[in-house]
Amino acid sequence: MFRRDVQSIKDLILRNLRVQGLEIPLLQKRLVEAWPLIAGSQVASYTLNTFIYNQTLFVHLSSPALRSELSMRRQELVAQLNQHVGGQVITDIRFK
C-alpha cells in the first residue's frame, strides 16, 4: 500500500498563484477592498479613491479634517490592514 501526499485545495491554489506571480496583486486587491472595513463606514463615505503604488496605500479623502486625523493613526491602520490580508502588503499610507 502506498501513501498519498494529500494537500488542501487552498494550499494548491496559493502555491499556483505564487508560481505565476499573482499572489501579491491578489493581496493588494484584498487590502484595497478591506479599507472600508478597517477604517469604518464613516471614513469610507469620505473616501474618493484608493490605490497601491510601491507598497504605499494612497487614500484620497474629501475632508481635510479627517485627513489630518487619519494621518495620526497611520501606523495603526497599516498594521490592521496587513493583518487583515495576512501578509506584509503595504508599508505606509498617504492621505491626499
Side-chain angles (χ1 to χ4, degrees):
M1 196 182 228
F2 63 93
R3 296 181 86 189
R4 292 185 180 167
D5 185 21
V6 179
Q7 296 179 356
S8 70
I9 292 175
K10 177 184 175 184
D11 292 338
L12 293 172
I13 290 173
L14 288 176
R15 185 175 58 184
N16 192 19
L17 287 173
R18 193 173 302 122
V19 167
Q20 293 181 8
L22 298 174
E23 182 181 32
I24 298 299
L26 179 63
L27 290 175
Q28 289 176 343
K29 182 181 182 319
R30 287 182 182 166
L31 189 133
V32 168
E33 290 175 349
W35 172 252
L37 298 172
I38 301 300
S41 60
Q42 292 288 31
V43 173
S45 67
Y46 289 101
T47 302
L48 302 174
N49 190 18
T50 56
F51 64 93
I52 297 175
Y53 182 74
N54 285 341
Q55 293 186 329
T56 302
L57 176 66
F58 289 88
V59 180
H60 292 258
L61 298 168
S62 61
S63 170
L66 184 60
R67 197 176 309 142
S68 65
E69 179 184 333
L70 290 176
S71 292
M72 293 180 206
R73 295 182 41 210
R74 178 181 300 170
Q75 292 305 316
E76 174 189 342
L77 290 168
V78 167
Q80 288 177 348
L81 286 164
N82 282 329
Q83 182 180 13
H84 182 80
V85 297
Q88 181 70 26
V89 179
I90 60 170
T91 57
D92 195 16
I93 300 178
R94 301 286 169 119
F95 298 102
K96 301 231 177 207

